Amino acid sequence: MTRLSGLRRPVLGTVTAAGKVAGEVVPVPITAADRRRVRRRLRAPDGVELLLALPTGTVLTPGSLLEVRSDVSYVVGAAPEDVAVVSLRDLTEAAALGHAVGNLHRDLVPDGAAFLALWDAPLELLLTRLGMPFTREERPFHGRPA
């Protein structure tokens, strides 16, 4: 009988302010949708190829440590994506936005004085219908995909 348990490699951990990693830290930018892919090849910005074979259902988050090679730590970074940047005027708009975007089963991520959500046509239609001020920009998105 063949044992398959040794094929999977767990995520090593998360980089914290206390500094659990030593040496140079290289962020590997990955989109929100790609952070859910558990088996794949990644090319780090310094040219190193990383092979992922994580347990099914693993979702990587920005800051997760992928691998350590010769005193270089490779961590997940949030890649710039097409997002709707919603600037709210009052608490009533915030409640309406949270309810409406939640009904679409989307993540809404705070970013300073604004909120970010992955852009698509239904979201744009919703925000326009609600009369919420928003812009479409390329920014790192730290939430989950739709």
Side-chain angles (χ1 to χ4, degrees):
M1 175 182 251
T2 305
R3 295 190 58 146
L4 299 176
S5 61
L7 295 177
R8 293 183 179 161
R9 184 176 52 85
V11 177
L12 298 175
T14 302
V15 178
T16 62
K20 291 188 175 186
V21 296
E24 180 186 1
V25 175
V26 176
V28 180
I30 305 174
T31 65
D34 284 344
R35 289 193 299 261
R36 298 182 66 99
R37 294 178 54 202
V38 294
R39 288 169 186 76
R40 59 186 295 207
R41 293 174 190 246
L42 290 173
R43 176 109 14 223
D46 62 357
V48 172
E49 185 177 52
L50 303 171
L51 304 176
L52 297 184
L54 304 170
T56 301
T58 300
V59 177
L60 297 171
T61 57
S64 295
L65 183 62
L66 293 171
E67 192 169 329
V68 177
R69 286 190 188 176
S70 63
D71 207 30
V72 176
S73 300
Y74 295 93
V75 298
V76 175
E81 299 186 63
D82 199 11
V83 295
V85 181
V86 186
S87 302
L88 301 171
R89 296 172 283 232
D90 58 19
L91 191 57
T92 304
E93 275 190 346
L97 176 69
H99 177 74
V101 173
N103 278 342
L104 291 177
H105 300 278
R106 309 283 175 82
D107 265 11
L108 195 59
V109 178
D111 185 45
F115 286 94
L116 305 179
L118 285 175
W119 184 91
D120 64 359
L123 180 67
E124 181 178 12
L125 181 65
L126 173 73
L127 294 174
T128 303
R129 192 180 76 232
L130 292 174
M132 304 236 171
F134 73 96
T135 58
R136 185 175 172 185
E137 299 178 17
E138 288 279 326
R139 288 195 190 182
F141 183 71
H142 293 269
R144 295 175 299 177

